[in-house]
């Protein structure tokens, strides 16, 4: 049995034994909108505030406890923390900021360069495969989860006969103990019983991304997504309780059956605006006087979103609303610097880990290095000035303009010397205005 098969066998055993460590508080357990609990109607707002604070405090306490377990020096355990991260990752605004940043990074062009500085286009085709795109996704995830251990697939040949990997696979983070370089058989097992993955030949099939003691940006993001989640939930409760007028039925009837019948009808009316009652019954609609829910809940959600934008993007205006063009330019510069930093880390990963492993597995990448292909950006005016300077001083083949602009270019026109114009009324050939290539 090979080391890859052995590793798959260890990771594949995911039987969960013993009591579950996860303590879950469902919002339904504290559902204040239960129609059977109408006696608490007058103190709903007070209860909402108290319950919200208690739930948030409980989840924040759980998050702190999970961080302590993950940072335990002797027996680090990230299982509970990763469960919280899974909930954090569901936040829509957070997902949007991460997707925006990742899309910028993945849109960059790259090249493989020889020691002489030449570009090897044929070798770059090794990376024009689905496995490399999946690898980049897993590498980018390490910034938020703290760590990624990625297994390279088997070496196969594609349809053109070129070597490639049949895929890459992220090893379940709950099995990985990066502090000690181990992979455990069961989640939460003692790391000393795990398999060493940083030793050869096992390491020849693995890519490790992230510092061994890093818990990722989701650790900080949880402080904002947890309160935000409950702010939205209780805003829904507020809307359900106070979004429509309260209906109060008054009757002078002492017949218990009649009163029960009226109560059932009131309960089943729902959104309907009619009902059949005794002539002694009076129906009253009481409008809610609570009108500050927007400021309370929406402001809290907006604050959480802006903090998440600053955490992930280091600024807010590339995803949130901005106030001026000059400020947006400054924020865009901050984003560009962040993208450069992330791309630099990907380049180091490819050059220091991926390419040496590919060479070991028979890929023809000896002496090559991975570089980002960063074109120089010119404004349209700068581009015209630049090309005018080149065309007027050097011979430029028409294929350049055909490839760049898609305009068919024939043979270059050779202009003959034009005699000077006649002066002082003398007859002479009429001067023709010379035009450059761009006129």
């Amino acid at each position: 049995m090979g080391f890859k098969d052995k590793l798959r066998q260890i990771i594949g055993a995911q039987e969960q034994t013993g009591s579950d460590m996860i303590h879950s508080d469902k919002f339904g357990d504290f559902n204040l909108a239960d129609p059977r609990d109408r006696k608490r109607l007058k103190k709903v707002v007070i209860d909402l505030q108290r319950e919200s604070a208690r739930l948030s405090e409980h989840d924040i306490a759980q998050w702190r406890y999970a961080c302590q377990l993950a940072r335990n020096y002797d027996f680090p355990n990230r299982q509970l923390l990763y469960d919280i991260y899974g909930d954090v990752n569901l936040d829509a605004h957070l997902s949007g900021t991460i997707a925006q940043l990742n899309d910028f990074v993945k849109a960059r062009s790259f090249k493989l360069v020889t020691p002489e500085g030449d570009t090897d286009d044929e070798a770059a085709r090794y990376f024009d495969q689905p496995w490399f795109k999946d690898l980049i996704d897993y590498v980018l995830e390490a910034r938020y989860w703290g760590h990624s251990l990625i297994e390279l697939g088997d070496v196969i040949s594609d349809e053109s006969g070129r070597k490639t990997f049949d895929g890459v696979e992220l090893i379940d983070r709950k099995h990985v103990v990066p502090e000690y370089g181990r992979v455990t058989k069961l989640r939460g097992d003692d790391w000393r019983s795990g398999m060493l993955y940083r030793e050869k030949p096992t390491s020849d099939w693995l890519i490790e991304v992230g510092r061994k003691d890093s818990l990722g940006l989701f650790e900080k993001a949880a402080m904002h997504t947890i309160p935000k989640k409950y702010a939205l939930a209780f805003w829904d409760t507020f809307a359900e309780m106070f979004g429509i007028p309260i209906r109060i039925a008054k009757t002078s009837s002492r017949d218990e059956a009649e009163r029960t019948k009226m109560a059932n009808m009131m309960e089943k009316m729902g959104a309907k605006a009619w009902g059949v009652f005794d002539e002694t019954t009076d129906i009253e609609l009481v409008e809610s006087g609570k009108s500050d829910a927007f400021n309370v809940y929406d402001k809290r959600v907006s604050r959480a979103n802006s903090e998440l934008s600053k955490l992930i993007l280091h600024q807010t205006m590339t995803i949130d609303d901005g106030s001026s063009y000059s400020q947006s330019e400054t924020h865009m510069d901050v984003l560009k610097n962040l993208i450069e930093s992330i791309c630099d880390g990907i380049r180091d990963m490819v050059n220091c880990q991926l390419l040496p492993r590919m060479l070991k597995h028979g890929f023809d990448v000896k002496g090559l290095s991975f570089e980002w292909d960063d074109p120089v950006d010119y404004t349209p005016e700068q581009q015209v000035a630049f090309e005018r300077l080149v065309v007027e001083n050097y011979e430029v083949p028409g294929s350049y303009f055909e490839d760049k602009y898609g305009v068919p270019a024939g043979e270059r026109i050779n202009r003959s010397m034009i005699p000077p114009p006649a002066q002082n009324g003398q007859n002479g050939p009429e001067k023709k205005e010379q035009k450059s290539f761009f006129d």
Side-chain angles (χ1 to χ4, degrees), residues 278 299 347 409 412 433:
D278 187 81
K299 291 292 185 181
R347 183 191 62 186
R412 185 177 179 84
E433 182 183 0

Side-chain angles (χ1 to χ4, degrees), residues 256-276:
E256 189 64 28
E258 187 66 24
R259 293 165 65 91
T260 302
K261 179 181 178 182
M262 183 178 64
N264 292 334
M265 188 172 295
M266 289 288 293
E267 183 177 0
K268 295 177 181 179
M269 281 180 65
K272 299 180 179 65
W274 62 271
V276 180

Side-chain angles (χ1 to χ4, degrees), residues 358-402:
M358 292 178 66
L359 180 62
K360 191 175 185 64
H361 297 314
F363 290 81
D364 187 15
V365 293
K366 185 176 182 180
L368 298 179
S369 61
F370 179 93
E371 298 292 341
W372 294 105
D373 190 8
D374 298 322
V376 180
D377 294 329
Y378 296 105
T379 64
E381 294 78 9
Q382 292 173 334
Q383 185 73 18
V384 169
F386 172 76
E387 293 185 350
R388 184 193 298 272
L389 177 65
V390 174
V391 168
E392 292 178 351
N393 293 277
Y394 301 94
E395 288 293 335
V396 181
S399 59
Y400 168 79
F401 297 97
E402 290 182 357

